[in-house]
Amino acid sequence: MGFARACSVALVGVEGVVVEVQADLEPGVAAFTLVGLPDKSLIESRDRVRAAVVNSGAEWPQKKLTVGLSPASVPKGGSGFDLAVACAVLGAAERIDPAAIADVVMIGELGLDGRVRPVRGVLPAVLAAAEAGYRHVVVPEQTAGEAALVPGVSVLGVRSLRQLIAVLGDEPVPEEPAADRGRPDTMLAGLMVPGAGLGTGLAPLSADGTAHRPDLADVAGQGRARKALEVAAAGGHHLLLSGPPGAGKTMLAERLTAILPPLSRRESLEVTAVHSVAGILPPGEPLISRAPYCAPHHSATMQSLVGGGNGLPRPGAVSLAHRGVLFLDEAPEFSGRALDALRQPLESGHVVVARAAGVVRLPARFLMILAANPCPCGRHTLAGAGCECPPSAVRRYQARLSGPLLDRVDLRVEVEPVGRADLMESGGRGESSAAVAVRVREARERAAARLMGTPWTTNSEVPGHELRTRLVVAPGALMAAERDMERGVLTARGLDRVLRVAWTVADLRAADRPDASDIAVALELRTGIQRGVPVRAGGL
């Protein structure tokens, strides 16, 4: 009787569970039994593994073979277990030393010819292996760079099962031909879900195929909206842009990621893990270092926004926008259920999706930008534009954005149409994204220094109790906000959000704490009511 074991990882959402793959050979009629709660794609690995072992020059054991995946209570799916199953079988057949694979985590799909094909979710799988104490990982060669992002783990990238057998047996490693030049590598097909990258806008490509990032200098005029965009980037505040069609709402939102600071190492790993599981990780870019941008269509369902799918839920748009921007253009056109489902992740920074197959917690700390027209035709606020929408239709259209959702939006700005003077002045170009990004970075550094020793890094994350007790504003600065709260213009949550925005405005002008003018700017950006304080791009 022969026995051997190897290790692999089962992904549950964006978290991994180390699975022990055990192979047992007994005398009897040749059969291959796979147990341990596998799904359909994993059951099919029996045929893939058998063909790969034979075509790699190894002998398939003609005995009763049982392969167990432990713990058996965890659902397992996908083709990433093929490599571990093959090595466990070869270890039980004594083709390789069982001790050499007992503490090695193996992730990869096997082709019928023995080639090792890449799979999605390598980074979160290797992170789970490292947290469990494993220090040696075998992955497909194409994903070795992604696996090497995890510190303290020795990564071996292989092209074929034949190469892995030679490495484990201290034999000469055979040469494997690389993919044919001049055509796309078919081995990378397993990393990308067809069509999944649409709307994620990590690096929009220009016509010549080079990366292109929109610049704020392309936006003419819109001083108030540009200032709100700067405040949103500096403090991580959610923003509502309301105005007629063609005023530049989408143009402004697309340029928000250009003024956000680069992701930290920890944030990059979080974002890369989510995108790796979702199958939208750009080829050749194992680590995402800039804030992602996700803009789903207004026909998106609730499941596509917060996560869902058959079996265990998969990341939705809120998770794909983690540490980045979620832009909802034509926000009133989204279904009410889909919009209201955003309330919980807006507050907590994560989303918990419960399904019959299990409960999954997905990261979802994003900066939300809403764009809305004032009425169905969009001309309600334009003088002499001929809006024919009756008042009841206007009210119904604006009521599609519920009060509880808008209460979670810190900044609300009316985007006015651009006039001829703004378009023609200085060639129609405004301040560049690079100049604004410098102020945003300095403001975030001030906030991080002030919040050092706390679990928060930006002003939008600070709880209201801390804002009212530990972070004290200037004396008498809150008088206007208190009056608005007494009149019912502000809720208790609204007051906390005004304080957060005021701290961000103070950080942008390098002040130690907010004064009455900062509170007035925050109130004007939240309520839209003029407070007599000028708000313009580049400062106050």
Side-chain angles (χ1 to χ4, degrees), residues 113-255:
D113 58 353
R115 289 184 301 169
V116 181
R117 304 180 65 92
V119 294
R120 299 191 300 270
V122 167
L123 177 59
V126 177
L127 285 170
E131 292 175 359
Y134 292 88
R135 294 294 173 260
H136 302 282
V137 177
V138 178
V139 298
E141 184 182 52
Q142 292 87 345
T143 57
E146 183 180 344
L149 297 174
V150 182
V153 176
S154 174
V155 178
L156 173 63
V158 294
R159 289 185 183 176
S160 67
L161 179 60
R162 202 165 24 245
Q163 286 186 338
L164 181 57
I165 293 173
V167 171
L168 294 174
D170 290 330
E171 303 169 2
V173 180
E175 289 291 335
E176 293 289 347
D180 294 341
R181 300 292 178 89
R183 63 179 182 180
D185 188 359
T186 57
M187 299 287 284
L188 297 177
L191 295 178
M192 301 290 291
V193 176
L198 299 179
T200 52
L202 281 174
L205 297 181
S206 59
D208 58 356
T210 59
H212 170 71
R213 302 193 74 185
D215 198 296
L216 266 177
D218 303 331
V219 181
Q222 302 296 2
R224 186 175 298 274
R226 289 170 62 99
K227 185 60 184 180
L229 208 69
E230 183 177 337
V231 172
H237 306 288
H238 307 304
L239 172 64
L240 168 63
L241 298 174
S242 178
K249 302 184 294 295
T250 303
M251 194 176 185
L252 286 163
E254 288 176 344
R255 284 150 179 78

Side-chain angles (χ1 to χ4, degrees), residues 27-48:
V29 178
F32 190 169
T33 304
L34 183 64
V35 298
L37 210 58
D39 71 349
K40 180 66 175 176
S41 61
L42 186 49
I43 292 175
E44 292 175 350
S45 68
R46 296 179 301 184
D47 300 319
R48 290 195 301 269

Side-chain angles (χ1 to χ4, degrees), residues 64-365:
K64 182 181 178 181
L65 172 62
T66 303
V67 174
L69 308 175
S70 179
S73 59
V74 176
K76 305 166 192 70
S79 56
F81 293 87
D82 290 1
L83 202 57
V85 171
C87 288
V89 171
L90 292 174
E94 299 182 353
R95 172 62 180 84
I96 57 179
D97 184 9
I101 61 173
D103 295 321
V104 179
V105 174
M106 301 179 183
I107 305 162
E109 176 186 336
L110 285 175
L112 300 184
D113 58 353
R115 289 184 301 169
V116 181
R117 304 180 65 92
V119 294
R120 299 191 300 270
V122 167
L123 177 59
V126 177
L127 285 170
E131 292 175 359
Y134 292 88
R135 294 294 173 260
H136 302 282
V137 177
V138 178
V139 298
E141 184 182 52
Q142 292 87 345
T143 57
E146 183 180 344
L149 297 174
V150 182
V153 176
S154 174
V155 178
L156 173 63
V158 294
R159 289 185 183 176
S160 67
L161 179 60
R162 202 165 24 245
Q163 286 186 338
L164 181 57
I165 293 173
V167 171
L168 294 174
D170 290 330
E171 303 169 2
V173 180
E175 289 291 335
E176 293 289 347
D180 294 341
R181 300 292 178 89
R183 63 179 182 180
D185 188 359
T186 57
M187 299 287 284
L188 297 177
L191 295 178
M192 301 290 291
V193 176
L198 299 179
T200 52
L202 281 174
L205 297 181
S206 59
D208 58 356
T210 59
H212 170 71
R213 302 193 74 185
D215 198 296
L216 266 177
D218 303 331
V219 181
Q222 302 296 2
R224 186 175 298 274
R226 289 170 62 99
K227 185 60 184 180
L229 208 69
E230 183 177 337
V231 172
H237 306 288
H238 307 304
L239 172 64
L240 168 63
L241 298 174
S242 178
K249 302 184 294 295
T250 303
M251 194 176 185
L252 286 163
E254 288 176 344
R255 284 150 179 78
L256 179 56
T257 56
I259 64 176
L260 289 174
L263 300 177
S264 65
R265 176 74 177 186
R266 174 173 164 271
E267 292 171 343
S268 295
L269 289 176
E270 292 177 1
V271 174
T272 304
V274 175
H275 287 223
S276 178
V277 170
I280 61 171
L281 196 62
E285 188 176 351
L287 184 66
I288 297 175
S289 59
R290 57 188 181 277
Y293 173 84
C294 188
H297 191 258
H298 60 258
S299 62
T301 62
M302 183 182 70
Q303 289 77 11
S304 67
L305 284 180
V306 301
N310 296 327
L312 287 175
R314 300 186 64 82
V318 296
S319 297
L320 299 182
H322 180 58
R323 301 294 181 184
V325 176
L326 177 68
F327 176 48
L328 302 183
D329 199 4
E330 305 293 345
E333 301 294 341
F334 283 78
S335 71
R337 292 182 66 242
L339 290 176
D340 288 338
L342 298 176
R343 294 192 217 166
Q344 186 252 340
L346 285 174
E347 286 291 328
S348 62
H350 63 267
V351 59
V352 179
V353 184
R355 294 291 185 270
V359 179
V360 173
R361 184 179 185 271
L362 300 169
R365 186 168 295 283

